[in-house]
Amino acid sequence: MTALAGGAEEPRVDAVPPWKSVRRTVAVVFFGWATAACTAVLAYLMLGAEWIPITVGVVLCLAFAVTLILLHQALWLTVLSSVPALFVLVGAVQYAPEAALELRGVRERVVIVADSAAGTSSDSHRFTLRAADGDEMEEKLVFDGAVWAPKVGDQLDVMRDPEGAVPMEQADDVDAAGRLEGLIAGTVGWTLIAVMAGWRGHVRRRRGRGESLLLRLAW
């Protein structure tokens, strides 16, 4: 047992061979990669039902956080991993629909003829659009936010999915490459954090140290 401040003692743990620590670290890294890949694939298979990949992605991200805790035997790296986790989740969920719009979407010039939020304090807009041929479009353009919101009479370029699986978006907002870059950046961040957690966890065990005080307090 190792003495801690206030007379408490930190439980000692048995050291593990280096190869075992490496194997654990590699397993956590691959789990992070699998989480990113599975969420992205599910988002593609479930186009139009974003809540499914979001739910699965959140569960997998939480599971990855638990594996980091077990690997590191401390909490702070797991808290730090929440930043790349956000990039992974947003990138994986949003890459598929935006890639679908870029691949098969139809670009059209439209005019806003009505706004569901007009005359209200709501920041959620559903714009009624008129196409270049003069016909009113059945699909509405959804826009959330008061800042930079288009107004009735404005002309916009939109990307529309002819299959109707992906909601219409403003053409300038469709950025599949940016979502993919975010997904990759988050996965790289997870990888670096997992390697650091594996190394620090191995050192803690080699020194016979158990869970960190912060982790025990959190539990």
Side-chain angles (χ1 to χ4, degrees):
M1 305 288 281
T2 304
L4 298 175
E9 293 185 335
E10 181 179 0
R12 296 184 63 85
V13 297
D14 295 333
V16 298
W19 64 267
K20 193 170 185 179
S21 294
V22 171
R23 187 178 64 185
R24 290 174 173 174
T25 302
V26 170
V28 172
V29 168
F30 274 106
F31 182 76
W33 293 354
T35 294
C38 288
T39 305
V41 170
L42 187 61
Y44 177 78
L45 296 176
M46 297 295 175
L47 286 174
E50 287 189 352
W51 67 271
I52 297 177
I54 289 174
T55 302
V56 173
V58 168
V59 171
L60 291 176
C61 286
L62 291 175
F64 180 78
V66 172
T67 63
L68 278 181
I69 291 175
L70 297 175
L71 182 65
H72 185 205
Q73 293 285 294
L75 195 60
W76 69 272
L77 277 176
T78 300
V79 174
L80 184 62
S81 72
S82 62
V83 177
L86 183 61
F87 281 89
V88 169
L89 187 60
V90 172
V93 170
Q94 295 189 354
Y95 170 69
E98 300 210 358
L101 283 178
E102 287 190 352
L103 289 174
R104 69 184 188 219
V106 177
R107 188 185 185 102
E108 292 190 44
R109 187 73 171 176
V110 299
V111 178
I112 299 176
V113 295
D115 179 4
S116 65
T120 71
S121 59
S122 174
D123 291 337
S124 180
H125 305 263
R126 287 175 57 84
F127 296 115
T128 302
L129 308 176
R130 186 173 63 227
D133 59 8
D135 293 334
E136 187 174 299
M137 302 177 67
E138 293 185 5
E139 186 176 1
K140 310 294 184 182
L141 175 64
V142 178
F143 186 96
D144 292 321
V147 181
W148 307 114
K151 297 178 176 57
V152 174
D154 288 353
Q155 293 187 353
L156 303 173
D157 288 324
V158 298
M159 294 292 290
R160 179 178 56 82
D161 180 13
E163 298 183 12
V166 181
M168 180 191 303
E169 288 191 44
Q170 293 187 62
D172 292 342
D173 292 339
V174 178
D175 184 16
R179 302 303 184 188
L180 182 59
E181 289 173 0
L183 173 60
I184 293 173
T187 306
V188 170
W190 264 1
T191 301
L192 296 176
I193 289 174
V195 171
M196 188 182 302
W199 167 250
R200 290 183 62 85
H202 174 73
V203 171
R204 289 182 65 85
R205 292 178 178 88
R206 187 177 63 187
R207 294 175 179 174
R209 299 172 64 184
E211 295 175 343
S212 69
L213 178 61
L214 180 61
L215 179 58
R216 291 202 301 278
L217 290 175
W219 292 122

